[in-house]
Amino acid sequence: MPPVNWNAINSLSRAKIGQSHPIKDSPLSNPAMQQLVNNERINSLAEARQGASQPLQGSALADPAAQAQMQNLAQTQAQPGAMYVAKNALNGGELSPMLAGRFDQPRYLTGCKLLRNMIAMPQGGITRRPGMECLGTYETGAHCLFVPFLFSATESFMLDFTAEIGDQATFVHIWLADGTLYSASAVVLPYTWEEVHELSYAQSADTLYLAHSNHPPAKLMRYGMDDWRYEVIDWMPDIAAPAAPTISWEGNPGEWSWQRELATYKYVVTAVDKTSGDESEPSAEAKIENCVPVGTNGYYIVLTVQPVPNAGEYRVYKKQGGVYGFVGRITDVDKSPLTFEDRNITPDTADTPPEPRDPWNDPDFPDDGYPALVFFHQQRLCFARTYKRPMTIWMSQSGIYESMAAATPPLDDHAIEVTMAATQCNRILWCCSDRNVLCIGTEGGEWILTGAEGDVLTPSNLMFQPQTYYGSAPLGQDAIRAASSLLFVQFGAKSIREFCYTFQSDSYQSADLSVLARHILDPSIIFAAWQGDPYNILWCVLANGTMAAVTYLKEQEVIAWHRHDTDGLIKDIAALPDGKGQTQIWMHVERNGVRCVERLRPYKEVILTEPVPDTDYTDGPWNAPYESVCIPHLPETTLQNGSTYMRVRKLNAVKAQVVNCKPFVAKIGDGPWMNVPERLPDPKYTGGPTFWNLPIAGGWRENADLVLKFTDGPATVLGILATFELADLAGSQS
């Protein structure tokens, strides 16, 4: 007789104790055997002898006949009937090991223990990520920054700011959306290799505005694909100030009593640029003394203005009470001479000549540096945070991006300078428009800047409101615009939060999108990019050179994390719409000491009729293959006498529903790898959805993980069907 498997017998006896009826036709249906089992208290015996090679001395089970009967019983099913489960959604993503016992959590049912180089799809399945194609390489030690240049929905290309270690200048390379290098070193910028990754940028049509704490605000302008120009912004008006106007006095002196008090009048004039709307500095003062007060007996003042090139109109201001107030304008700039008549017009001292200024050459803040952030809000070019003013925001005139001019008192469209009043001095790290407010992230919390009653911002209508207190991490970029949400990296760079307005609280809330997969963001996040089409994915580059990504579709309540790696270190990432409806993901990858410009290949989402080239699922310039692994959570359910959690189980059959899939391998726990499908005449892949049987060879186990591994070609898994059996109580079976 073969050796007795006492582990199986003990497990069986533990599983069967307490059942009202034994398995039909099993040895336990024999009344004599039932009496034997009861007399020996088989449950206690099994607990005491777990793993023993021999029964207790003197036990009735030492009888060879009883051993044979129990051996036969151990080889039968341990529980009548089987459980049929369908895991028809796998897009819960990879979940933290801390959720291993939370099978009651809804995401547990759709989640995985591991999702590596696989993408969770909003529709419910998982698909293998595309490979990375190499577009070009740089020398070792290059520091690079991708800056997407989006002129329109159909015209875009990638600017690559590159500087070698030790260099004091940055070179700009231009990559077209088709992956070809249009121009190398199109322009040279004054940023060192250490400053490249700290650049902030904001685009308006053909102009890219740049900000860095060590350099004055500047702009990179495209006049043509072969003509790019870098300029430091000149905050003084482009249009010249007019010369002081000449003044004449008109009237009838004979009708005036010269013994009465005479008057003195003073004027200045500004010119308005007909292209930009920028208003010049005021002219020198023009004065007339000892004249009859205007409006008396028909007396009036005539001002003659000298023309200024490109002027669209001229504005006239008269002094009253020590303040120049607006009295009128000259709009017919083609007439000659250019004259304006003051017939006793009362000046509007609430509308005074603007004072052009450069706010970062302020003698009150020496060695303050320059703003570190640049962005747009409500038709204003905005900047934020200097060394000594880390909580200050500057906004240009409305519609005039390169003018910081203001007046006393200011008009609604004049430039704005405002500083947050908070209990802590936390740096502003990002600013982004949302709805009709400016959302602001600092190291200590999240704020909004708005006008009273939701009005637009003006110099006299400003209100900061704190919202949440999580704080942000310094990534050197704005918050990430993800469809209708703003996403930011929490202070510490190990969590992603959504900053979103909620109607119920009438405020912004910061929900944690990574609370169920916090482990996947270790180490910290250094860069992030949003890929809206086709799967709504936020890609995060981690400090160790790998990537963590989350499929986020708020309206479908999909938050699915997955991890990605390659044979190299990922250093930077950016998203670029290709003008055809998809968003490309570009990366800088360091491979064997070489800095490579790479991007993900297009997704194969539709049902294909021809095999996909294997190169579409390889990485890097050398077409290196990579592994994709999925370990789904096995389903748990509630039974009449408890739950299936931690029960000994045996997988009898597993099917995977796949589409656009080449053969792969699978295993149960630490068992051997098995080919799926088991026999295939040729290496073609499936077209439409089909079911592939997994050749299961698993026994009774407490923890029988199903592992799927893909190494060749595409793979999309839509669902998993499984049949398994359970023992009543858990043991340490293997």
Side-chain angles (χ1 to χ4, degrees):
M1 186 176 68
V4 177
N5 186 344
W6 287 104
N7 283 334
I9 292 176
N10 290 337
S11 174
L12 174 65
S13 61
R14 295 171 64 228
K16 296 302 297 180
I17 289 301
Q19 275 197 191
S20 58
H21 299 286
I23 301 173
K24 185 179 180 180
D25 298 328
S26 78
L28 283 181
S29 63
N30 187 325
M33 182 58 71
Q34 293 178 18
Q35 185 63 39
L36 174 63
V37 172
N38 289 333
N39 290 342
E40 290 296 325
R41 298 182 181 177
I42 203 67
N43 187 43
S44 300
L45 175 63
E47 284 287 340
R49 299 296 298 164
Q50 185 68 37
S53 60
Q54 298 294 332
L56 292 175
Q57 186 175 2
S59 166
L61 289 179
D63 181 8
Q67 292 180 16
Q69 288 181 312
M70 297 301 291
Q71 182 71 28
N72 291 335
L73 178 60
Q75 294 172 355
T76 64
Q77 294 182 344
Q79 179 148 323
M83 294 189 61
Y84 299 87
V85 296
K87 195 175 179 70
N88 59 353
L90 297 165
N91 63 352
E94 181 176 331
L95 301 181
S96 168
M98 297 297 102
L99 268 74
R102 288 294 310 277
F103 61 89
D104 61 317
Q105 223 283 341
R107 291 265 300 280
Y108 185 96
L109 300 177
T110 60
C112 302
K113 290 187 176 180
L114 177 66
L115 201 57
R116 174 175 168 240
N117 289 326
M118 300 286 289
I119 291 172
M121 304 165 65
Q123 297 88 343
I126 56 174
T127 187
R128 197 174 183 215
R129 75 156 170 86
M132 302 176 190
E133 58 179 332
C134 181
L135 306 177
T137 60
Y138 297 135
E139 296 296 328
T140 305
H143 280 230
C144 308
L145 175 69
F146 281 131
V147 178
F149 196 94
L150 313 176
F151 181 76
S152 68
T154 58
E155 183 180 355
S156 62
F157 39 90
M158 188 70 76
L159 303 182
D160 194 359
F161 291 20
T162 307
E164 297 289 336
I165 293 179
D167 283 356
Q168 300 300 306
T170 296
F171 299 91
V172 180
H173 306 277
I174 302 174
W175 295 87
L176 303 181
D178 63 5
T180 59
L181 180 62
Y182 180 85
S183 174
S185 303
V187 67
V188 180
L189 308 181
Y191 307 104
T192 69
W193 66 276
E194 296 172 308
E195 297 168 341
V196 169
H197 275 309
E198 298 172 348
L199 280 173
S200 176
Y201 53 87
Q203 184 183 346
S204 173
D206 276 321
T207 301
L208 186 71
Y209 291 96
L210 303 172
H212 191 280
S213 297
N214 297 335
H215 298 268
K219 55 185 177 180
L220 180 63
M221 297 171 292
R222 180 183 71 155
Y223 291 89
M225 287 299 290
D226 296 312
D227 186 6
W228 293 76
R229 304 174 192 176
Y230 172 86
E231 294 179 8
V232 173
I233 298 176
D234 183 2
W235 296 106
M236 296 297 105
D238 291 333
I239 189 167
T246 57
I247 301 180
S248 61
W249 175 43
E250 305 292 339
N252 185 359
E255 298 180 3
W256 178 255
S257 175
W258 291 101
Q259 287 75 29
R260 300 178 63 178
E261 182 179 356
L262 300 178
T264 298
Y265 296 97
K266 300 178 181 179
Y267 299 87
V268 294
V269 179
T270 63
V272 178
D273 194 307
K274 66 180 179 182
T275 303
S276 65
D278 200 4
E279 189 171 359
S280 73
E281 294 183 81
S283 67
E285 183 181 77
K287 180 172 66 173
I288 186 170
E289 299 178 301
N290 300 322
C291 63
V292 176
V294 294
T296 303
N297 296 334
Y299 283 91
Y300 60 94
I301 300 293
V302 177
L303 283 79
T304 302
V305 179
Q306 297 299 316
V308 174
N310 207 42
E313 68 174 54
Y314 300 88
R315 293 171 59 89
V316 181
Y317 300 86
K318 181 168 68 174
K319 198 168 190 177
Q320 176 177 290
V323 177
Y324 283 102
F326 176 74
V327 291
R329 54 171 57 90
I330 303 172
T331 57
D332 186 1
V333 296
D334 295 325
K335 71 177 182 179
S336 181
L338 296 172
T339 59
F340 177 84
E341 297 180 358
D342 177 12
R343 295 181 179 271
N344 198 25
I345 301 174
T346 301
D348 181 3
T349 54
D351 185 357
T352 60
E355 301 173 7
R357 64 194 181 102
D358 181 347
W360 302 288
N361 285 323
D362 191 336
D364 294 334
F365 294 93
D367 303 321
D368 188 25
Y370 299 96
L373 300 178
V374 59
F375 54 95
F376 286 98
H377 181 65
Q378 292 183 352
Q379 298 298 308
R380 298 176 186 264
L381 177 64
C382 310
F383 298 87
R385 197 184 86 216
T386 59
Y387 291 127
K388 294 184 178 180
R389 290 175 283 181
M391 302 173 69
T392 299
I393 296 174
W394 295 267
M395 299 183 175
S396 72
Q397 286 190 312
S398 179
I400 307 176
Y401 296 156
E402 297 178 21
S403 174
M404 289 290 176
T408 305
L411 297 180
D412 287 351
D413 61 348
H414 280 179
I416 298 172
E417 179 178 334
V418 60
T419 300
M420 296 172 59
T423 57
Q424 299 179 3
C425 187
N426 293 309
R427 294 184 301 165
I428 295 175
L429 297 178
W430 56 264
C431 299
C432 196
S433 295
D434 186 62
R435 300 170 66 246
N436 60 339
V437 305
L438 178 65
C439 300
I440 303 168
T442 74
E443 291 173 313
E446 293 70 53
W447 297 64
I448 60 172
L449 174 61
T450 182
E453 303 297 329
D455 292 339
V456 297
L457 297 181
T458 68
S460 58
N461 184 20
L462 298 167
M463 182 169 55
F464 282 104
Q465 299 180 39
Q467 301 295 298
T468 56
Y469 296 93
Y470 296 102
S472 298
L475 289 186
Q477 60 186 27
D478 288 341
I480 302 120
R481 172 64 69 181
S484 60
S485 301
L486 291 177
L487 306 182
F488 69 93
V489 181
Q490 185 178 335
F491 188 80
K494 294 185 178 181
S495 181
I496 296 288
R497 289 189 173 272
E498 177 195 39
F499 194 60
C500 184
Y501 175 80
T502 60
F503 179 79
Q504 292 82 357
S505 63
D506 191 25
S507 65
Y508 279 78
Q509 301 295 320
S510 298
D512 191 346
L513 302 186
S514 51
V515 64
L516 301 185
R518 191 67 54 83
H519 70 295
I520 211 170
L521 295 178
D522 188 19
S524 58
I525 305 169
I526 57 175
F527 287 102
W530 174 256
Q531 185 180 29
D533 189 272
Y535 294 132
N536 284 31
I537 299 174
L538 177 69
W539 296 89
C540 303
V541 176
L542 305 182
N544 62 358
T546 65
M547 288 193 300
V550 57
T551 303
Y552 180 52
L553 196 62
K554 186 175 182 178
E555 57 270 27
Q556 298 296 328
E557 299 182 352
V558 175
I559 306 174
W561 285 91
H562 27 97
R563 64 177 74 210
H564 301 267
D565 54 43
T566 185
D567 185 17
L569 301 177
I570 302 170
K571 296 293 187 179
D572 184 26
I573 194 168
L576 180 70
D578 63 0
K580 300 178 182 179
Q582 281 204 0
T583 304
Q584 302 174 355
I585 289 296
W586 291 58
M587 294 165 286
H588 287 120
V589 186
E590 189 174 299
R591 301 182 187 273
N592 298 331
V594 177
R595 181 64 65 96
C596 304
V597 176
E598 301 185 18
R599 67 177 179 181
L600 286 181
R601 293 183 174 92
Y603 293 95
K604 307 298 182 182
E605 186 181 36
V606 298
I607 297 176
L608 304 169
T609 57
E610 296 295 332
V612 176
D614 287 342
T615 53
D616 283 4
Y617 289 87
T618 55
D619 278 350
W622 307 280
N623 290 329
Y626 61 91
E627 288 185 353
S628 300
V629 181
C630 171
I631 305 178
H633 280 301
L634 293 179
E636 305 289 351
T637 187
T638 301
L639 303 175
Q640 291 182 353
N641 61 343
S643 71
T644 61
Y645 183 61
M646 289 187 65
R647 298 282 181 103
V648 179
R649 67 189 67 201
K650 182 173 70 171
L651 281 170
N652 290 335
V654 176
K655 284 187 176 182
Q657 187 179 29
V658 297
V659 62
N660 295 340
C661 190
K662 294 191 73 171
F664 57 94
V665 295
K667 68 176 182 177
I668 303 296
D670 56 359
W673 290 106
M674 301 167 287
N675 293 324
V676 181
E678 190 172 8
R679 289 178 294 275
L680 198 69
D682 55 58
K684 290 182 180 179
Y685 65 99
T686 63
T690 189
F691 287 95
W692 278 352
N693 292 317
L694 278 63
I696 296 301
W700 289 96
R701 304 167 185 267
E702 275 187 14
N703 186 11
D705 287 335
L706 173 63
V707 185
L708 310 179
K709 183 168 70 174
F710 311 86
T711 57
D712 185 22
T716 299
V717 181
L718 303 181
I720 294 175
L721 309 178
T723 303
F724 63 91
E725 300 176 53
L726 296 173
D728 282 349
L729 300 174
S732 57
Q733 308 305 309
S734 62

